[in-house]
């Protein structure tokens, strides 16, 4: 795809996002005040998502979800709510969004390929949604199955954005993470503004800061090509990602997509806590409904998040209620808060009724984290907390004894987190950053003591729990730690107020360095196509597949396809992943994790695929068994099977550069 087409795709994508945000923004001005503009980014995306989701559930065109936004925009235009004098005041929010959007876009431009890790899955789900936007979406790796076994709402959101903006999936894939980062950044900047009088940008550091392990890997002599990866595999047999890695690595995966929604809910809870008493009842309802929408979207975007943020939401509601009761306020003053959890369930109730998945329950950790490894992951925040608590520790050193029971039980890492936790708890004054610190430290301790059992085996028993909990912990602790650090630095005599011109020059220099960095570090993994087309690399790396995939992506209808199977995290399953057309089986272990194998499909489907390619007397019958209409024969199929197709029953629909695509006759 030409550079001009890609530029138009970026423009169209941003136009849709800006329209959604601007349509909603005036509605939020009364309840969210100065934060209406930044909050409208995440809020409008979540509202657009639920509207398109119900369109998909009802089998209506998802484009209908734009109608309420058009009506809202027209209404506010009629009321003259878009005065230029007002919009000019919001330029800082827009600038933050665009800086981080284009910063991430630069990273994707340098390394756009859908070629490794979870990118095959991520694009496959995105392409499936765009090919057939129905609820539940079709599973591209399991012909006849749907994604009711997995949390797919993030793919749905960006798939629908691609549909309404006219951006194809191979480019939408590379615009999605920039959107996540841009929206998350402007929301965190709003949090910084809410919590700090000065140095409000400091919490944004959570997105560009490596963990301590990153620097440790350099010190011990690791090569630059492995430092980033190894820093996320620090705690033995676990994954401990942080935002800089997640965005740089580039998987459009649920745990990354969910970041914008996580920080949005944190913002809403902090805002409610700080401004509850000054809000009118209508305004409380609007903010609480937004909180319910955010919380209710979590099980569908990344289910692990709701296990963390549902209790956090309840805790914040309880704190507000307790404060209200001390002031003599009755039920009518906080009934809105009680409505958040049930509303969160009700808004996506059909999803829960369709869900077909299970978990193994909560189990006690018997092999906790090595304390040194724990600090290599969480050390920045622990260090900031302890430095800020030095005075308290000197005054009450006996509270350090809280670590003893954990150490005796063998949970030394938990003991490290327990020390600042207790000191924050016993403080008389509980500011919002300290409340966040308490919640984040509690999360670290819980992950040290318990894990959610899955089918990852004995060696990697904690992998998913640490993986899915440490990223929220990084966000919560990072916002807390840098908000506290910002407040400390802003005290008289510490960091003087910088003149506006010098501040602008410094900011421009830092932003410039950030934009240049992706071109200076080896992020391209030897592809380096310098494009926003995630499939452009096929032209040189897999020319046979390039034409075949392009042909299939232009088809319409409800096809299913047969392609070679070759395990997980490989180039196999590339046809279904690149087109969204369901294959008999894609990456089988992924499907096994989601579906189990109670019906014996695992071995049956793999054997049937081989028979389709190698036993001509069974080819047509087995294709009909799975309602497959297309048969793909490329280099991988010929390398994997002794291809022997029947003389009749198949019609060659495409043939070029060693790739043949057959359609079932009749």
């Amino acid at each position: 795809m030409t550079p001009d087409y890609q530029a138009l795709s970026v423009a169209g994508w941003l136009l849709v996002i800006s329209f959604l945000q601007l349509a909603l923004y005036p509605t939020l001005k009364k309840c969210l005040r100065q934060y209406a503009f930044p909050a409208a980014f995440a809020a409008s995306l979540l509202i657009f998502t639920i509207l398109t989701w119900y369109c998909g559930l009802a089998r209506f065109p998802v484009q209908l979800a734009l109608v309420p936004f058009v009506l809202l925009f027209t209404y506010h235009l009629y009321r003259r709510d878009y005065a230029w004098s007002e919009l000019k005041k919001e330029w800082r929010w827009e600038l933050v969004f665009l800086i981080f959007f284009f910063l991430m876009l630069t990273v994707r431009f340098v390394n756009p390929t859908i070629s490794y890790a979870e990118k095959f899955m991520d694009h496959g789900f995105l392409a499936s949604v765009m090919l057939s936007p129905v609820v539940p979406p079709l599973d591209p790796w399991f012909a006849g199955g749907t994604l009711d076994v997995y949390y797919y709402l993030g793919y749905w959101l960006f798939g629908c954005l691609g549909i309404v903006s006219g951006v194809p999936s191979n480019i939408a894939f590379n615009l999605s993470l920039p959107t996540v980062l841009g929206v998350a950044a402007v929301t965190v900047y709003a949090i910084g503004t809410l919590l700090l009088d000065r140095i409000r940008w400091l919490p944004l550091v959570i997105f560009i800061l490596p963990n301590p392990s990153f620097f440790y890997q350099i010190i011990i002599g690791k090569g630059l090509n492995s430092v980033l990866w190894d820093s996320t595999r620090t705690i033995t047999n676990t994954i401990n990602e942080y935002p800089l890695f997640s965005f740089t690595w580039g998987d459009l995966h649920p745990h990354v997509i969910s970041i914008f929604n996580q920080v949005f809910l944190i913002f809403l809870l902090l805002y409610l806590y700080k401004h509850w008493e000054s809000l009118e009842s209508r305004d409380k309802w609007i903010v609480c409904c937004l909180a319910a929408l955010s919380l209710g979207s979590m099980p569908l975007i990344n289910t692990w998040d709701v296990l963390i943020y549902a209790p956090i939401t309840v805790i914040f509601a309880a704190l507000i209620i307790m404060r209200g009761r001390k002031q003599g306020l009755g039920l009518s003053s906080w009934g809105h808060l009680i409505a958040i959890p049930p509303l969160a369930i009700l808004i996506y109730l059909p999803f829960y009724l369709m869900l077909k998945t299970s978990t193994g329950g909560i189990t006690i950790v018997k092999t906790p984290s090595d304390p040194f490894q724990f600090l290599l992951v969480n050390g920045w925040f622990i260090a900031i907390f302890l430095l800020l608590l030095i005075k308290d520790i000197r005054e009450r050193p006996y509270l350090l004894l809280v670590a003893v029971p954990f150490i005796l039980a063998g949970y030394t890492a938990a003991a490290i987190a327990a020390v600042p936790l207790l000191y924050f708890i016993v403080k008389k004054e509980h500011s919002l950053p300290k409340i966040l610190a308490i919640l984040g430290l509690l999360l670290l301790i819980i992950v040290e003591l318990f894990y959610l059992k899955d089918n990852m085996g004995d060696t990697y028993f904690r992998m998913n729990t640490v993986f899915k909990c440490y990223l929220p912990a990084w966000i919560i602790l990072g916002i807390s730690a840098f908000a506290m650090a910002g407040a400390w630095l802003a005290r008289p005599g510490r960091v003087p107020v910088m003149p506006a011109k010098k501040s602008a020059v410094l900011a421009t220099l830092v932003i410039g360095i950030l934009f240049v960095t992706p071109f200076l570090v080896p992020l391209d993994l030897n592809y380096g196509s310098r494009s926003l087309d995630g499939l452009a690399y096929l032209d040189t790396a897999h020319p046979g597949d390039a034409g075949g995939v392009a042909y299939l992506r232009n088809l319409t209808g409800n096809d299913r396809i047969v392609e070679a199977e070759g395990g997980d995290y490989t180039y196999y399953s590339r046809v279904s992943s690149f087109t969204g057309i369901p294959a008999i089986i894609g990456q089988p272990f992924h499907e096994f994790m989601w579906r189990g194998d109670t019906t014996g499909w695992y071995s049956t489907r793999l054997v049937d695929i081989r028979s389709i390619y190698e036993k001509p007397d069974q080819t047509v019958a087995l294709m009909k068994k799975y309602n497959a209409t297309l048969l793909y024969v490329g280099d991988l199929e010929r390398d994997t099977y002794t291809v022997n197709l029947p003389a009749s029953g198949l019609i060659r629909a495409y043939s070029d550069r060693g790739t043949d695509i057959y359609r079932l006759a009749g």
Side-chain angles (χ1 to χ4, degrees), residues 265-573:
L265 183 59
I266 291 171
F267 164 76
L268 291 173
L269 295 176
L270 295 176
Y271 182 84
L272 285 171
Y273 183 88
K274 189 169 184 177
H275 295 288
W276 182 259
E277 285 78 13
S278 65
L279 293 174
E280 295 180 4
S281 180
R282 172 185 172 276
D283 300 330
K284 289 177 180 177
W285 273 118
I286 292 175
V287 181
C288 287
C289 284
L290 288 176
L293 177 60
S294 176
L295 182 63
S297 300
M298 285 182 174
L300 291 79
I301 297 177
N302 185 37
T303 302
W304 290 80
D305 291 345
V306 78
L307 303 177
I308 297 167
Y309 287 98
I312 288 176
T313 302
V314 171
I315 289 170
F316 266 94
L319 291 172
I320 295 171
I321 291 170
M322 288 170 58
R323 187 176 65 195
R325 294 189 67 177
K326 288 179 181 178
Q327 298 171 356
L329 301 177
L331 175 64
S332 61
S333 67
W334 40 263
H336 321 71
L337 295 167
I338 297 176
I340 293 177
L343 279 175
I345 296 172
L346 286 173
I347 57 175
Y348 278 114
L349 185 60
F351 171 83
Y352 303 108
L353 299 178
M354 291 184 289
L355 190 62
K356 298 176 183 177
T357 189
S358 61
T359 181
I362 298 174
T363 308
I364 296 175
V365 172
K366 295 180 180 178
T367 310
S369 303
D370 175 89
F372 179 64
Q373 295 175 351
F374 176 83
L375 286 173
L376 285 177
V377 176
N378 303 292
W380 299 137
F381 314 126
I382 300 294
I384 291 173
F385 292 151
L386 291 178
L387 286 172
L388 294 173
L389 287 168
I390 286 177
K391 182 179 177 182
D392 301 84
I393 294 171
R394 287 174 178 170
E395 290 176 354
R396 291 189 278 191
Y398 56 86
L399 293 179
L400 293 171
L401 293 174
V402 69
V404 174
F406 291 100
I407 294 172
L408 292 177
Y411 296 92
T412 307
I416 294 171
V419 171
L421 172 64
L422 182 59
Y423 278 98
F424 283 133
I425 289 175
V426 300
K427 272 183 170 290
K428 292 182 180 179
E429 177 264 327
H430 285 154
S431 65
L432 284 172
K434 288 170 186 172
I435 293 172
L436 287 179
I438 290 170
L439 295 172
L441 291 167
L442 273 173
L443 177 57
L444 291 183
I445 293 172
I446 290 171
V447 172
E448 283 303 305
L449 301 179
F450 305 99
Y451 70 98
L452 198 60
K453 191 173 183 180
D454 52 26
N455 54 8
M456 294 301 294
D458 294 335
T459 301
Y460 300 101
F461 69 100
R462 291 181 69 209
M463 188 185 79
N464 261 333
T465 300
V466 173
F467 180 20
K468 299 300 170 57
C469 292
Y470 263 41
L471 198 54
W474 179 282
I475 292 168
I476 295 168
L477 292 170
I479 291 173
S480 168
F482 288 112
M484 289 185 192
W488 186 88
L489 291 170
R491 290 176 187 173
R494 297 213 169 113
V495 176
V497 177
M498 186 177 295
K501 287 186 178 180
K502 288 186 178 180
S503 178
V505 170
L506 181 60
T508 302
L509 179 62
V510 171
I511 293 167
I513 292 172
L514 289 175
F515 271 93
V516 170
T517 301
F519 294 97
L520 301 179
V521 295
L523 294 177
D524 59 11
L525 298 181
N526 298 320
Y527 289 105
S529 53
R530 297 296 194 269
S531 169
L532 291 177
D533 180 358
L535 300 181
Y537 77 103
L538 295 180
D539 290 333
T540 53
H542 305 280
D545 288 335
V549 166
Y551 167 79
L552 292 170
R553 285 172 59 84
N554 286 320
L555 295 180
T556 58
N558 298 313
D559 288 307
R560 296 181 187 177
I561 198 163
V562 185
E563 65 174 321
E565 183 281 320
D568 291 55
Y569 300 107
T570 68
Y571 184 66
Y572 284 88
S573 307

Side-chain angles (χ1 to χ4, degrees), residues 565-640:
E565 183 281 320
D568 291 55
Y569 300 107
T570 68
Y571 184 66
Y572 284 88
S573 307
R574 80 283 193 201
V575 180
S576 50
S577 298
F578 294 158
T579 65
I581 298 173
I584 293 177
I585 188 65
Q587 299 192 14
F589 184 66
H590 279 77
E591 293 289 348
F592 173 75
M593 286 192 296
W594 303 329
R595 301 177 182 277
D597 189 27
T598 55
T599 61
W601 63 261
Y602 191 96
S603 58
T604 300
R605 292 198 175 213
L606 270 60
V607 169
D608 284 348
I609 292 172
R610 179 171 292 276
S611 297
I612 287 172
Y613 282 106
E614 296 186 343
K615 298 180 179 179
D617 58 325
Q618 299 182 28
T619 299
V620 172
L622 287 174
M623 287 181 67
K624 289 181 177 179
K625 173 183 175 180
Y626 295 101
N627 293 319
T629 54
L630 297 168
L631 177 65
Y632 192 94
V633 183
D635 291 341
L636 282 184
E637 284 70 29
R638 294 187 180 90
D639 291 343
T640 307

